[in-house]
Amino acid sequence: SAVISQKPSRDICQRGTSLTIQCQVDSQVTMMFWYRQQPGQSLTLIATANQGSEATYESGFVIDKFPISRPNLTFSTLTVSNMSPEDSSIYLCSVEEESLAQFFGPGTRLTVL
Amino acid sequence: QQPVQSPQAVILREGEDAVINCSSSKALYSVHWYRQKHGEAPVFLMILLKGGEQKGHEKISASFNEKKQQSSLYLTASQLSYSGTYFCGTPSYTGTASKLTFGTGTRLQVTL
């Protein structure tokens, strides 16, 4: 299975600022996904990122708030813009392998003050 | 529509069995199962691709009832290492993109 790393692992940010989260995969993958997981809750898909095309956002998530880049088949970034305390959460990237299973990065724990 | 899991939480003694259910209001074509330990990322357990399929992974197995739009995860002779939150995931496909909708989750705690 793919090995996925995320940076940063955690951060504490001030309201109104932005944070960019990086996701690096050790192999080329077509589909990458970004999820948000609030404490004690399930995972909510933010967007799907395919290399070479615009990310596809889920209902309730917009590009201006969560811009995503996917410059190649091993890397993606998610930016959380103009943050508020409600954005405090764990952000996870994942990849889909040929088996259709998804494998997750370790997550980025974000706290917004 | 998020799949609903039951029970929400369960506490077991080591060696006991548990069943976790996942129900969808939409037609199911396949079901994923994941386990997430506290402070860690979810880990893939198994995928069931067709109705009636049953799969096993050590002492963890699952079944998929396509007609009832349900899947069940069976944990037998539970071990301390089985503790965590279990999520089912139901895929949907739009054009060339696929995505998973995760269930509400079941928190499992195994004690001595």
Side-chain angles (χ1 to χ4, degrees):
Chain A
S1 61
V3 176
I4 306 164
S5 59
Q6 282 185 236
K7 290 183 186 179
S9 58
R10 58 178 62 227
D11 207 341
I12 300 173
C13 300
Q14 296 296 320
R15 181 195 298 261
T17 62
S18 298
L19 176 71
T20 296
I21 302 167
Q22 299 178 4
C23 180
Q24 180 75 53
V25 190
D26 69 342
S27 58
Q28 294 184 339
V29 294
T30 303
M31 306 282 283
M32 293 182 76
F33 305 88
W34 287 97
Y35 290 88
R36 182 171 72 183
Q37 186 175 32
Q38 295 177 314
Q41 302 296 311
S42 183
L43 291 86
T44 301
L45 181 65
I46 297 171
T48 302
N50 283 346
Q51 193 269 335
S53 62
E54 295 288 325
T56 302
Y57 289 83
E58 296 301 302
S59 176
F61 298 97
V62 295
I63 188 171
D64 289 345
K65 176 68 175 176
F66 297 101
I68 288 171
S69 76
R70 181 79 201 275
N72 57 52
L73 290 172
T74 63
F75 187 77
S76 179
T77 66
L78 170 75
T79 299
V80 186
S81 302
N82 189 23
M83 289 184 285
S84 67
E86 292 71 33
D87 295 319
S88 297
S89 194
I90 298 173
Y91 292 85
L92 298 133
C93 67
S94 75
V95 302
E96 181 183 73
E97 299 205 332
E98 285 189 14
S99 63
L100 302 181
Q102 286 197 18
F103 294 90
F104 289 82
T108 296
R109 185 179 295 269
L110 172 62
T111 302
V112 184
L113 302 177
Chain B
Q1 289 80 355
Q2 183 177 36
V4 176
Q5 293 181 228
S6 61
Q8 287 185 325
V10 58
I11 300 175
L12 299 176
R13 289 191 183 275
E14 199 172 26
E16 292 182 334
D17 302 340
V19 180
I20 299 172
N21 299 303
C22 172
S23 294
S24 173
S25 59
K26 296 176 8 176
L28 282 183
Y29 303 102
S30 62
V31 178
H32 297 219
W33 284 98
Y34 294 80
R35 176 172 63 207
Q36 184 176 31
K37 292 183 179 287
H38 184 69
E40 299 180 8
V43 173
F44 173 75
L45 293 177
M46 66 187 79
I47 179 172
L48 297 99
L49 293 173
K50 54 186 177 182
E53 183 174 13
Q54 296 193 44
K55 272 193 174 178
H57 175 68
E58 296 180 344
K59 294 179 182 176
I60 300 175
S61 61
S63 64
F64 175 29
N65 189 324
E66 188 178 18
K67 289 182 180 178
K68 292 186 177 180
Q69 298 171 185
Q70 292 178 342
S71 178
S72 295
L73 187 71
Y74 307 93
L75 299 99
T76 57
S78 58
Q79 306 168 13
L80 294 175
S81 62
Y82 287 2
S83 293
T85 302
Y86 290 78
F87 294 100
C88 63
T90 57
S92 56
Y93 303 94
T94 55
T96 58
S98 67
K99 62 178 185 179
L100 272 184
T101 301
F102 283 86
T104 50
T106 296
R107 186 168 299 182
L108 177 75
Q109 182 180 355
V110 181
T111 64
L112 290 172

